Structures are given as structure tokens and as C-alpha cells.
Amino acid sequence: MSIRVTIWNEGRHEQTNEKVRAVYPKGIHGALAEGLSEEGIATRTATLDEPEHGLTEAVLADTDVLIWWGHMAHDQVQDDIVARVQRRVWEGMGLIVLHSGHFSKIFKRLMGTSCDLKWREADEKERIWVVDPSHPIAAGLGEYFELPQEEMYGEHFDIPAPDELVFVSWFEGGEVFRSGCTYRRGQGKVFYFRPGHETYPTYYNENVLKVIRNGVRWAAQARGAKPVYGNAKPLEPIRPKE
């Protein structure tokens, strides 16, 4: 049974910025859909300008994990749609919030804080350290991986203490950032993952895609899925001796 993933993107940068359109000609949502689709994961996309932002009751009812990317149009997301998404998370839908989605209405509502942070766009290298190598979201990764160019996010990141901290980022300017954080909200699982500025080809990076795939499988467990992470095989149950 495939995990049903809806990838939501506001889709505004691709309409107005030639540089972004050159990097993501099919939109950030299109790149993610192609990069994440594999056996066991079925993707669909939705964008801000669709009726009900593409997040109808029927779509959300058929979604195991919702991936969220937004930046310049957070305030244009209708409050009733945010409430609809929040209710589905409480009911068990997974939510993965990417990059500037930290300022989205849905993430701030689920966190209950401002979710503010420091930032600087300076074409800097980002080194993403795996600080919890035993976590399923880190399966198949080494000690760290690097992105040659990214926007800097820095502390203090005004979020609640994560249930689990999986990744910490370091930037050339010396800043560090809690870049992979998990939460439980109601019956649903939430994963925030930092990389993904719109002018960089971050969502073609295989390590980034591996993290998001692992995150999808982790978040989908809320509905009882039994996922396999990376190249790992599921463990056989221990049976008592006769």
C-alpha cells in the first residue's frame, strides 16, 4: 500500500522570478513530486491559486502526509483551510514543513510561537550534521552532508523544544541552526526541515530528497504504515520459544 503524499506549494516565485523559474521549471512542487516518487510513495500536488488552495476536504482525507512550502504569500492562505489542515493533523495526517514554511500559518498555529529566526541570503555553504543517527529520518546518511549554496537561517529559532532533534546546520558565517525537528500534535507527526531556498537547486539534491522520503515514511506511521527506511530491512518480530 503506497503512502499518499500531497505536496503543497504557494507557487508564486515561479510565476514572478525568472531565476526561480529557470531552477524549477515545473515549480518547486513539481520537482519534489518527481524527486520523491518511488515504489511505496504516491504523490500529488496542490498550489495556492487552486480553488480551496487545492486542499479540499476530499484531498486531505486522501492524504497520509502533507508537504508544505511557502514564502511570500503566507497571509493569503485562508484561515478556514489552515483550520482544516490542523484538524487533519490532529486526526493523524503527517505534516512536513520545508524551509520558509516555518512562517506559515499552519506551522505557527501548531507550534504556538512566533517561529521567528535570523536569516541572510549570501550563497553560503551549509553543512547539515546528523545529531541523531538512530532516528529513522536520518537513515542512509553519513555524519553530515553539505549544500554548496543556501540561504542562512540562524538561532534563535523561536519554536518549542523539539520532541526530537535530528539535524543541526552550520554555515560559513559561523551560525548554527536546529534544522531538523520533530513534533507530535494530536495523533499526527510533524517534521520541520530547513533547506530549500527557491533560487538554489536544493530539491534536486539526493541527500535532501532522502531526508524528505524518510520523513514521509516516518510521518505516515501515524496511520499504521510499516515503512522501510533507506536500504534498511524491517526487523522480524521476536517470537517466544516453543
Side-chain angles (χ1 to χ4, degrees):
M1 179 171 56
S2 293
I3 301 170
R4 301 164 299 180
V5 178
T6 299
I7 301 165
W8 190 88
N9 172 29
E10 68 182 32
R12 290 293 174 78
H13 286 289
E14 298 92 326
Q15 297 177 38
T16 60
N17 189 317
E18 286 289 345
K19 185 175 181 181
V20 177
R21 192 156 46 241
V23 176
Y24 295 108
K26 297 181 181 179
I28 289 172
H29 52 297
L32 284 169
E34 290 183 356
L36 298 179
S37 292
E38 63 176 21
E39 185 177 356
I41 298 177
T43 62
R44 64 153 66 91
T45 63
T47 59
L48 178 67
D49 291 332
E50 295 176 41
E52 300 181 61
H53 307 324
L55 300 175
T56 64
E57 293 278 8
V59 166
L60 290 177
D62 194 45
T63 297
D64 299 314
V65 180
L66 176 63
I67 297 175
W68 192 281
W69 196 100
H71 186 196
M72 64 187 295
H74 296 313
D75 61 337
Q76 296 178 38
V77 179
Q78 298 173 20
D79 290 339
D80 60 329
I81 305 299
V82 176
R84 181 183 296 171
V85 172
Q86 182 179 21
R87 184 170 62 252
R88 280 289 293 123
V89 172
W90 288 343
E91 293 170 352
M93 183 183 71
L95 177 66
I96 298 177
V97 177
L98 300 176
H99 191 58
S100 47
H102 72 92
F103 242 18
S104 64
K105 288 182 178 180
I106 182 59
F107 190 64
K108 291 198 290 186
R109 183 175 292 193
L110 289 168
M111 295 300 102
T113 57
S114 75
C115 299
D116 202 3
L117 47 77
K118 294 183 177 68
W119 64 275
R120 181 178 64 253
E121 189 176 348
D123 293 335
E124 293 184 52
K125 177 172 70 177
E126 177 180 5
R127 178 174 291 179
I128 301 167
W129 287 95
V130 178
V131 296
D132 187 356
S134 67
H135 199 285
I137 293 177
L141 299 172
E143 286 186 314
Y144 66 85
F145 63 93
E146 293 184 344
L147 300 172
Q149 292 178 303
E150 257 295 349
E151 180 181 24
M152 186 283 293
Y153 278 10
E155 297 287 349
H156 175 63
F157 187 15
D158 186 24
I159 53 174
D163 294 340
E164 300 152 317
L165 181 61
V166 186
F167 305 111
V168 170
S169 289
W170 166 89
F171 297 88
E172 289 183 81
E175 296 88 356
V176 295
F177 187 77
R178 290 169 289 169
S179 55
C181 305
T182 74
Y183 298 91
R184 274 76 170 176
R185 291 293 184 268
Q187 297 181 60
K189 293 181 176 181
V190 179
F191 174 46
Y192 172 76
F193 187 44
R194 196 218 72 82
H197 186 64
E198 66 274 3
T199 60
Y200 304 126
T202 302
Y203 294 127
Y204 301 111
N205 181 281
E206 185 49 43
N207 284 316
V208 170
L209 292 172
K210 181 178 294 185
V211 169
I212 300 173
R213 287 190 208 104
N214 286 345
V216 163
R217 294 186 174 97
W218 171 83
Q221 290 188 77
R223 82 191 245 276
K226 296 179 180 179
V228 177
Y229 297 94
N231 297 319
K233 295 181 179 179
L235 296 176
E236 292 294 326
I238 299 173
R239 292 181 172 84
K241 294 181 179 179
E242 296 295 334

